[in-house]
């Protein structure tokens, strides 16, 4: 779908407003324990909505607050049905990434259209039943077992911990879309936003796979919320890799506030709009591909 500009605050990032974070290897993200609190926050939010707020538009094209909530119900039901309950998946092969995205968009649209027949109260009641089951199911899984491949990171095989981290980003950013639409406080607790943003940034090596740069050149991406999150993308002989933290002397450093960062990475804001909120130091050409990174299926 097309990207939308959003009512994000117009503040630009400062170049450096938090202490420097030294480099270290990226680690597996074990997030199964975060879903219960995230689901409870969603239910509390939805129960607080006034009738007219359910129909407010979101940054997700053509979807209202109610539609986004319905999508969250859909994806939770799918995960429980196909994963926990072993329901046979519809047999279908995909010619490539675009074919898969088109199929998922069709599934999503079918559910959202049907869910428009549900009242907000009933939709919330269904989510209140499903969200705790989803959290319990995820906590019972072996994070080192095979998971659903994270295609936007360029993977054809992914460990379950990465699959669940991707699932956390989905449920987090859709709830953020609802909060943004109704003017509610954002989900900015670092225990959630930290692993979400770290997961998003794992799309960087795949996005930069065709970007040329001298061996040893580094791009630092720093996202500033309640606490900072930073990743470094070094160019090595075999291609781009990813480290956590900041290279001391990068070829380019890009700093972006948390809200426009997640909006950009989930197609809720155009690259041009996000660039206006960012501070870029050094080689602007090396930073430019970041504003086309997508960390969702799309």
């Amino acid at each position: 779908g097309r990207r939308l500009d959003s009512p994000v605050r117009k503040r630009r990032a400062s170049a450096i407003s938090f202490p420097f974070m030294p480099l270290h290897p990226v680690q597996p993200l074990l997030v199964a324990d975060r879903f219960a609190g995230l689901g409870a926050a969603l239910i509390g939010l939805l129960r607080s909505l006034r009738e007219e707020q359910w129909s407010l538009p979101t940054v997700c094209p053509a979807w209202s607050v109610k539609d986004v909530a319905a999508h969250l119900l859909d994806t939770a039901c799918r995960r429980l049905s196909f994963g926990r309950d072993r329901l046979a998946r519809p047999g279908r092969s995909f010619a490539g990434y675009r074919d898969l995205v088109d199929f998922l968009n069709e599934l999503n649209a079918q559910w959202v259209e049907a869910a428009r027949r549900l009242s907000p109260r009933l939709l919330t009641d269904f989510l209140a039943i499903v969200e705790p089951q989803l959290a319990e199911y995820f906590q019972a899984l072996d994070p080192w077992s095979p998971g659903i491949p994270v295609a936007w990171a360029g993977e054809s095989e992914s460990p379950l911990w990465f699959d669940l981290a991707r699932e956390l980003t989905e449920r987090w950013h859709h709830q953020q879309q609802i909060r943004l639409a109704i003017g509610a406080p954002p989900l900015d607790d670092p225990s959630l936003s930290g692993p979400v943003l770290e997961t998003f940034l794992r799309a960087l090596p795949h996005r930069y796979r065709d970007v040329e740069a001298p061996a040893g050149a580094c791009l630092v991406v720093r996202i500033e919320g309640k606490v900072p999150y930073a990743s470094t993308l070094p160019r090595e002989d075999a291609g781009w890799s990813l480290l956590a933290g900041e290279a001391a002397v990068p070829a380019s450093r890009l700093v972006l506030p948390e809200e426009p960062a997640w909006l950009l990475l989930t197609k809720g804001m155009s690259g041009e709009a996000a660039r206006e909120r960012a501070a870029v130091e050094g080689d602007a050409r090396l930073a430019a591909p970041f504003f086309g990174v997508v960390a969702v299926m799309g």
Side-chain angles (χ1 to χ4, degrees), residues 13-145:
S14 57
I16 293 293
S17 58
F18 285 101
F20 177 81
M21 291 178 289
L23 282 177
H24 55 280
V26 293
Q27 300 295 322
L29 295 164
L30 303 180
V31 299
D33 62 340
R34 315 298 163 88
F35 287 90
L38 184 60
L42 174 66
I43 302 309
L45 176 68
L46 297 181
R47 295 216 188 279
S48 74
L49 296 187
R50 302 185 303 274
E51 181 179 356
E52 67 274 13
Q53 290 179 304
W54 285 91
S55 59
L56 290 174
T58 69
V59 295
C60 194
W63 279 7
S64 67
V65 165
K66 183 182 173 187
D67 292 335
V68 173
H71 175 64
L72 285 169
L73 177 62
D74 178 23
T75 53
C77 287
R78 273 191 246 166
R79 194 81 197 215
L80 288 168
S81 295
F82 295 134
R84 184 193 65 182
D85 303 336
R86 308 295 184 185
L87 179 69
R89 293 177 179 271
R92 176 165 175 171
S93 59
F94 301 101
Y97 180 79
R98 189 71 254 164
D99 190 30
L100 173 60
V101 170
D102 290 344
F103 173 70
L104 292 175
N105 287 340
E106 180 183 355
L107 283 184
N108 294 339
Q110 289 173 351
W111 179 285
V112 166
E113 180 65 30
R116 288 171 180 162
R117 304 170 195 161
L118 299 177
S119 68
R121 176 180 175 179
L122 190 57
L123 175 58
T124 305
D125 287 346
F126 284 153
L127 276 163
I129 293 170
V130 170
E131 285 285 346
Q133 293 186 47
L134 187 70
E136 181 181 17
Y137 169 57
F138 285 159
Q139 286 205 312
L141 296 175
D142 175 6
W144 311 108
S145 63

Side-chain angles (χ1 to χ4, degrees), residues 12 45 57 59 89 139 149 157 161 169 197 203 212 249 256 259 263 270 279 281-282 284 291 294:
R12 288 174 59 93
L45 176 68
V59 295
R89 293 177 179 271
Q139 286 205 312
E157 296 180 355
W161 65 258
T169 69
L197 293 167
E212 295 296 330
V249 187
L256 193 62
E259 190 174 72
L263 282 164
S270 70
E281 300 173 342
F291 296 101
V294 173

Side-chain angles (χ1 to χ4, degrees), residues 14 18 20 30 35 48 57 78 100-101 114 157 165 172 194 230 232 241 251-252 264 266-267 272 277-278 293 297-298:
S14 57
F18 285 101
F20 177 81
L30 303 180
F35 287 90
S48 74
R78 273 191 246 166
L100 173 60
V101 170
E157 296 180 355
W172 182 90
T232 293
S241 61
S252 182
L264 169 71
T266 60
K267 301 179 68 176
E272 294 78 9
R277 316 300 201 272
V293 174
M297 294 295 287

Side-chain angles (χ1 to χ4, degrees), residues 29 31 35 79 89 137-138 141-143 145-152 155 157-170 199:
L29 295 164
V31 299
F35 287 90
R79 194 81 197 215
R89 293 177 179 271
Y137 169 57
F138 285 159
L141 296 175
D142 175 6
S145 63
I148 298 171
V150 183
W152 51 252
E155 297 198 347
E157 296 180 355
S158 297
L160 184 70
W161 65 258
F162 193 16
D163 175 19
L164 294 189
R166 179 210 55 78
E167 189 72 46
L168 187 73
T169 69
E170 283 286 313
T199 302

